[in-house]
Amino acid sequence: MSYRQKHLLAIEGLEPPAIAHLLDLAESYVLLNRSGRTQRDLLRGRTLINLFFEDSTRTRTSFELAGKRLGADVINMSVSTSSVNKGETLLDTAWTLNAMHCDLLVVRHGESGAPALLAQKVDAAVINAGDGTHEHPTQALLDALTIRRRKGRIEGLAVAICGDVLHSRVARSNIHLLTTLGCDVRVVGPPTLLPAEIERLGVRAFHDMRAGLEGADIVMMLRLQKERMTRGLVPSSREYFRFWGLDAEKLGYAKKDALVMHPGPMNRGVEIDSEVADDPARSVIKEQVEMGVAVRMAVLDTLSRSGRNDA
Amino acid sequence: MTPEPGPDTLFTGVRLLADGVDLTGDLLVRDGRIADFGPSLGRPDGAQVVAEDGAVLCPGLVDMRAALGEPGYEYRETIASAAQAAAAGGITTLAALPDSQPAIDDPALVRLLRARGEETGSLTIIPYGAVTRGCRGEEMAELGLLREAGAAAFSDGTRAIGSARLMRLALSYARGFGMRVIQHPEDPSLSGGGAATEGDLATRLGLPGIPAAAEAILVARDIRLAELTGGSVHFAHVSTAEALDLIRQAKAAGLAVTCDTAPPYFDLNENAIGDFRTYAKLSPPLRKEADRAAVAAALADATIDAIASDHQPRDADDKRLPFAQAAPGGVGLATLLGVTLAQVHNGTLPLPAAIALLTARPAALLGIEAGRLAKGAPGDLCLFHPERIWQVEAGELPGKAQNTPFDGRALEGVVLGTWKAGRRVFG
C-alpha cells in the first residue's frame, strides 16, 4: 500500500502515489455507495470518535456516515458537551480518549496544529478534519476526486482558488494537493486576504478575477466570514462581491466548460451568486458532498489497515 | 546576608580572558576578591588549587536580560532554581525583567529582589524598574525612586511601549536621572495576535504572522525619539537585519542607542518551529535565515553591544498547547555560553569578543563593577572548557524550567566551575 503514515494530518508532504491510492480507493467507495450496498465488516468492533471543537454539521455528518457504512462504532463529541469548556486541556482529552481505546480519531479544532499535538499523545490514528487556518486534508481529497471524475484527470488542469485564502485551510490543502499532482494553481483575492509569500507554495497570485480566471478549468470559491469585514480586511460585502464574488460574468473569464466548486457552507451574494452556484451545468457543489463520504471511507479504511500493520 | 568568602583559590595554568586581559597563567582569589593574576604566581599556604588543561577563566557572565518566575510565577521557576541554572551556565550577575506579578514598579520590590539575589549566595540580581505602573503601558512609574532603590534601567519587560508619546516622556524623564529605557521593539499593532514570523513558513503552518518590519518600525520610531529627547534607548533581543541597519546608522550618527540580542536569534531560524514545536515559539519570533545571519554579522561588527539570555521560564502546561495559544519564551541561562561559543567555533567571533559580549559590555551598560578581571574586582568567575561537547536536553537542564528552544543541540563549550565572591557555586 502506498499510504504509509499512521495519521492523516496534512496534505503537505504526501507523495503522489499516496494521494492516488486514496483517490482510487474512494472511487471504489463511490460505486459501492451508489449501489446501495455497505461493507459493514471492515471496521466492525472499531471505535471512531468525532472530536469537534468547532461546529461543523457537514463534515461531522460526512465522517459519521463514512464510519457507519464501514461498520465502525461512531461517537460524536463536540465542544459544547465535552469538558474542554471546563478548563480541561487538549491533552487531558487525549488521555481520556486513550482510556476509551479509540481506534480512529477525527479532530476539528480552531487552532492550527491542534490535531498534530493530539497525534503525539493518543494511540488512535488521527484524521485532521480542519485545524485553524492550517489544513483540511479530506476536503482537498474530495475536491480532487470530484475534479478527476468530471475532467478525467488532474494533471495539467488550471485551477483558480478564489477569495479568503488567508484564513482558509481548504485553500492550503488544495494548493498542496493540486501542485503535487501537477496543476497550474492560481490564487485570486484582495491583497489583504492572500497570505504572505503564498507564491512560494508553488502558485501564482492575482488580485483581479479576470486575470486569475483566464483559461481556468476549475474555479474554486472560498467562504468569506462576516468577521473579516468587522476586522477591516475588506470594507464591505457589497464591495467584495463586486470585485471577487463569482457571478456569470466573472465565470465567463474562465474556460467555457470550467467547473465551479465551493467547500460550503456558501454565503450566497457574498462570494458566489446563486445563478452560478445552482447551475447544474457548471456547479459541482452537490457532487462534492457525495465525494466527501467516499473519500472519508477511503481514509478510514486506509488508516485502519496501517494501524493493524503497526500492531 | 553576605555569603562568607570562600578559601583562597589559585587558578593555575589557565587562559585568563577578559576585557583587556588575555594571557595564560595564574589567578589568585582571596577574601572574595581577585588578589592577583599573572603568568605565574606562587601558591599561598592553604590555597585551593584549580588546574584544568585547556580551560578558560573569565569573569562570571553578566546576563542583562532574564525573566525570573518570582514574584508571581513560582510554578514556572523560583529564584533559587534560576540561581542554580545561572550558576551552571557560568552566570554570576543577572538583570531581571520587571514584568512579574506584581510588576517591579515600586522601590520596595527593587530592594526585595536585590535581597533575594543575595540570599542565593551565588547570583547578584539587578532588577530593572518598570517604565509604567504594572508594566501596563499607561502611566509612568516612579522612575526616580526606582533608581534610588537600585534599578539598573527601565523596561516594561516583554511588553513593547507602544505609545510614542509615552516613550517620549519616559526617555525624556529617565534622561534626567541618567538612565536608559529598554524597549521590546515590536510594534504591538502589527505583532498583536501573531505567532510566527510572517512568510511562507507561517503561511504553510496556518499561523498568524508577525512581519519582520514590526521590529524595524519601532526601532526607527524610538531612534527618532531618542534624538528628540536626548535620552538613551536600548533595544532588547534585536532579531532582524533591517532593525540592525537602523541601529548601526544611529550609532554612526552618535546617538545614545544600544542593543542586545539573545542566542536563539543568531543560532536558530524560523525552521525550528516546524511541525508546531512550541518550545521554539519565542517573542520576537525566530526569523528567516537571512535575518539570523545578519544578527551574527552584527555581533562581529559590534553593532550589538551585548548577548543576553532572554531567559523566559515556562511550565510544561504553558507550552503543551496548540502553537498560537502556547506561551512564547525559552529558557536560556544554562545554554548562554555554549550557544555563544558556537559563533566562535564557526569563525564569526574571536573568543575574546564573545566573552566581552557576555561580561564587560553588558556590565558597562548596567553600570556595575562586575564583568572584569582586575585586582580588587569581585571574585566572580567562570571556568570553562571551550572545546568540550555536551548535548542540550529538555528535561535534563539545571533549574526547574525546561523549555529550551535548543533541545537536542550539541554544544561545544562546557562550564567547569562558577565562583561567586570567591566561593565555588557550581562544578
Side-chain angles (χ1 to χ4, degrees), chain A residues 12 112 133 172 196-197 200, chain B residues 200 203-206 288 320 324:
Chain A
E12 186 175 18
S112 301
T133 56
R172 284 173 179 74
E197 300 182 2
R200 297 190 62 173
Chain B
D200 63 322
T203 290
R204 281 170 200 279
L205 294 174
K288 290 182 176 281
R320 280 190 205 138

Side-chain angles (χ1 to χ4, degrees), chain B residues 10-35:
Chain B
L10 180 71
F11 298 88
T12 181
V14 293
R15 181 173 175 189
L16 303 173
L17 198 53
D19 210 21
V21 178
D22 187 358
L23 61 97
T24 298
D26 302 352
L27 181 144
L28 178 69
V29 176
R30 172 169 290 160
D31 296 331
R33 292 197 168 257
I34 296 170

Side-chain angles (χ1 to χ4, degrees), chain A residues 12 89-91 95 109 111-114 116-117 120-121 131 133-135 172 176 195-198 200-201, chain B residues 198-208 270 275-278 288 316-317 319-325:
Chain A
E12 186 175 18
T89 67
L90 197 56
L91 297 183
W95 291 318
H109 198 286
E111 290 288 344
S112 301
L117 180 62
Q120 291 169 15
K121 306 289 174 183
D131 61 329
T133 56
H134 176 224
E135 284 222 34
R172 284 173 179 74
H176 293 309
E197 300 182 2
I198 186 74
R200 297 190 62 173
L201 275 64
Chain B
E198 192 170 285
D200 63 322
L201 182 68
T203 290
R204 281 170 200 279
L205 294 174
L207 295 173
E270 61 176 354
D275 290 333
F276 304 102
R277 282 191 60 237
T278 58
K288 290 182 176 281
D317 289 342
K319 287 288 191 182
R320 280 190 205 138
L321 288 168
F323 195 88
Q325 292 176 344

Side-chain angles (χ1 to χ4, degrees), chain B residues 3 34 68 96 136 201 279 285 300 310 333 353-354 361 372 389 396:
Chain B
I34 296 170
L68 300 172
R136 282 189 298 268
L201 182 68
Y279 275 21
D310 199 29
L333 300 174
R361 299 183 66 193
R372 299 178 301 135
I389 292 172
E396 302 293 325

